[in-house]
C-alpha cells in the first residue's frame, strides 16, 4: 500500500495539481460562527485580511504574495460575500461600527424585534473587538485588506470621501489603493498606481474596516482590483511591500 505522501504525489501528477507536501498545522480564528484560516510566513508585523468570500482573485493574489514575502494573513472560510448570521446573512465588512452593523442586519431582515436586534448588535460588537485584536499589526506594521470589484466600483467613487487623491492616466480606475496614513500616501502616490488618502471619518460610517482603522490609528491599506486580475493585484501588493516599512 502506498503511504500517504506517495499517494498525494501520485494524485498531483495524475490531475496536474500543485500539492503542498510540507506538513502544516492550520490555525483558525472563529468570528460570528465563521472561521478565518490563519497563514503565517516569518515574523513580519504586517497583517493581511481577505474578508469577502466571493472575491476569489484577491485570495489567490494574497496566497501568492505570502509565498514570497513575510506576514500573517486571515482568510475567511466562506464562498459568498455575506456570511450566515442567526436566521439571516450579513456583510462581514459592514460590522465594524454599530451603525454599520445595524444597517447591515436590517438590509436582509428588516423586521427585527428591537430587543433581539440590540442583542445581536451587542454580540457583533464583542466579536468585532476580538477580531481587531487578532488582526491588528504589531510594531506599527500594516493592516492590508484585499478586495475585488465586478460591479463598476472604481476610484472615482472614493474621491468625495478622500482627503487627497493621486489618479494615474494610464491605470484602470477600478484598480487602486486606499490608505489611512498620510506618509504612506505620499510614498505610494509617487508610484504608478491610483491611490487615495482617507484619514478622516466620514459623516456616514458604513461599518467598513477602513473606518475602524482610522478610529484606532491603525495603518491600513485596501488594495482593490478588478475581479480576475490576479497579476495586477500581485504587482500592487509587491509594490506596497517594497516601498512601505
Amino acid at each position: 500500500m502506498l503511504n500517504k505522501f506517495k499517494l498525494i504525489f501520485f494524485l498531483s501528477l495524475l490531475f496536474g495539481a500543485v500539492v503542498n507536501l510540507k506538513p502544516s498545522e492550520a490555525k483558525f480564528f472563529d468570528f460570528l460562527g465563521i472561521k478565518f484560516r490563519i497563514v503565517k510566513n516569518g515574523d513580519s508585523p504586517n497583517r493581511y485580511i481577505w474578508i469577502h468570500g466571493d472575491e476569489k482573485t484577491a485570495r489567490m493574489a494574497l496566497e501568492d504574495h505570502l509565498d514570497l514575502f513575510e506576514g500573517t494573513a486571515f482568510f475567511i472560510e466562506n464562498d459568498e460575500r455575506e456570511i450566515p448570521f442567526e436566521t439571516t446573512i450579513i456583510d462581514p465588512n459592514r460590522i465594524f461600527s454599530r451603525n454599520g452593523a445595524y444597517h447591515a442586519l436590517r438590509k436582509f431582515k428588516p423586521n427585527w424585534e428591537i430587543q433581539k436586534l440590540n442583542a445581536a448588535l451587542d454580540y457583533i460588537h464583542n466579536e468585532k473587538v476580538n477580531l481587531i485584536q487578532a488582526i491588528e499589526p504589531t510594531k506599527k506594521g500594516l493592516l492590508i485588506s484585499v478586495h475585488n470589484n465586478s460591479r463598476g466600483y472604481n476610484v472615482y467613487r472614493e474621491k468625495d470621501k478622500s482627503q487627497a487623491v493621486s489618479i494615474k492616466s494610464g491605470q484602470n480606475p477600478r484598480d487602486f489603493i486606499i490608505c489611512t496614513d498620510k506618509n504612506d500616501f505620499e510614498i505610494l502616490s509617487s508610484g504608478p498606481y491610483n491611490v487615495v488618502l482617507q484619514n478622516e471619518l466620514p459623516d456616514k460610517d458604513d461599518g467598513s474596516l477602513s473606518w475602524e482603522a482610522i478610529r484606532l490609528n491603525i495603518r491600513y491599506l485596501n488594495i482593490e482590483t478588478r475581479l480576475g486580475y490576479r497579476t495586477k493585484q500581485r504587482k500592487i501588493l509587491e509594490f506596497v511591500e517594497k516601498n512601505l516599512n
Side-chain angles (χ1 to χ4, degrees):
M1 180 181 294
L2 293 174
N3 63 35
K4 177 180 179 181
F5 292 108
K6 287 183 179 179
L7 179 60
I8 293 174
F9 180 70
F10 173 76
L11 291 174
S12 70
L13 292 177
L14 181 63
F15 294 104
V18 177
V19 177
N20 182 5
L21 297 181
K22 295 184 298 183
S24 62
E25 293 183 4
K27 295 184 178 180
F28 294 91
F29 181 85
D30 292 318
F31 173 71
L32 293 177
I34 293 291
K35 291 184 181 297
F36 278 91
R37 175 171 54 96
I38 304 172
V39 177
K40 182 177 181 180
N41 179 19
D43 297 319
S44 168
N46 291 344
R47 300 291 182 265
Y48 301 86
I49 186 168
W50 176 64
I51 200 168
H52 281 147
D54 63 335
E55 298 174 358
K56 309 297 186 185
T57 304
R59 186 205 72 213
M60 292 186 289
L62 181 52
E63 289 172 339
D64 293 342
H65 186 74
L66 284 179
D67 283 339
L68 301 174
F69 299 97
E70 294 188 356
T72 301
F74 291 73
F75 296 89
I76 197 164
E77 296 278 285
N78 192 58
D79 290 326
E80 307 297 333
R81 183 178 185 85
E82 287 81 22
I83 62 174
F85 179 76
E86 295 190 5
T87 59
T88 183
I89 56 175
I90 189 171
D91 186 331
N93 196 35
R94 291 294 180 267
I95 57 82
F96 292 96
S97 70
R98 194 173 184 91
N99 182 64
Y102 171 85
H103 289 288
L105 287 175
R106 293 288 302 272
K107 178 180 180 179
F108 296 103
K109 185 179 177 182
N111 58 339
W112 281 85
E113 296 178 9
I114 189 63
Q115 289 184 336
K116 291 184 177 179
L117 178 58
N118 284 331
L121 291 172
D122 291 341
Y123 174 65
I124 289 172
H125 172 77
N126 292 333
E127 291 283 284
K128 179 258 299 191
V129 171
N130 293 334
L131 179 61
I132 289 295
Q133 289 176 349
I135 65 175
E136 185 172 3
T138 60
K139 303 176 184 177
K140 297 185 177 180
L142 292 162
L143 173 58
I144 301 175
S145 180
V146 290
H147 286 275
N148 298 135
N149 59 72
S150 59
R151 303 173 181 86
Y153 172 61
N154 61 69
V155 68
Y156 294 106
R157 300 270 190 95
E158 296 294 336
K159 284 187 67 176
D160 292 342
K161 295 180 283 186
S162 302
Q163 285 64 63
V165 299
S166 176
I167 299 177
K168 309 299 193 298
S169 59
Q171 291 291 318
N172 192 298
R174 288 170 59 189
D175 305 325
F176 60 96
I177 306 169
I178 298 174
C179 62
T180 62
D181 183 272
K182 187 175 182 180
N183 292 331
D184 292 342
F185 172 80
E186 295 296 334
I187 294 170
L188 297 177
S189 62
S190 66
Y193 303 111
N194 300 318
V195 189
V196 298
L197 171 68
Q198 296 180 353
N199 61 356
E200 297 178 7
L201 289 171
D203 293 332
K204 294 183 179 180
D205 183 343
D206 63 3
S208 67
L209 179 57
S210 60
W211 305 128
E212 181 75 351
I214 294 173
R215 279 189 290 270
L216 299 176
N217 197 30
I218 295 173
R219 290 174 67 202
Y220 172 86
L221 299 176
N222 172 17
I223 297 179
E224 180 89 34
T225 67
R226 290 161 286 172
L227 187 66
Y229 283 72
R230 179 177 177 181
T231 299
K232 182 76 166 187
Q233 198 152 29
R234 287 174 59 184
K235 288 182 177 179
I236 299 177
L237 278 164
E238 183 176 351
F239 171 73
V240 168
E241 184 78 37
K242 292 181 175 180
N243 286 275
L244 296 184
N245 297 319

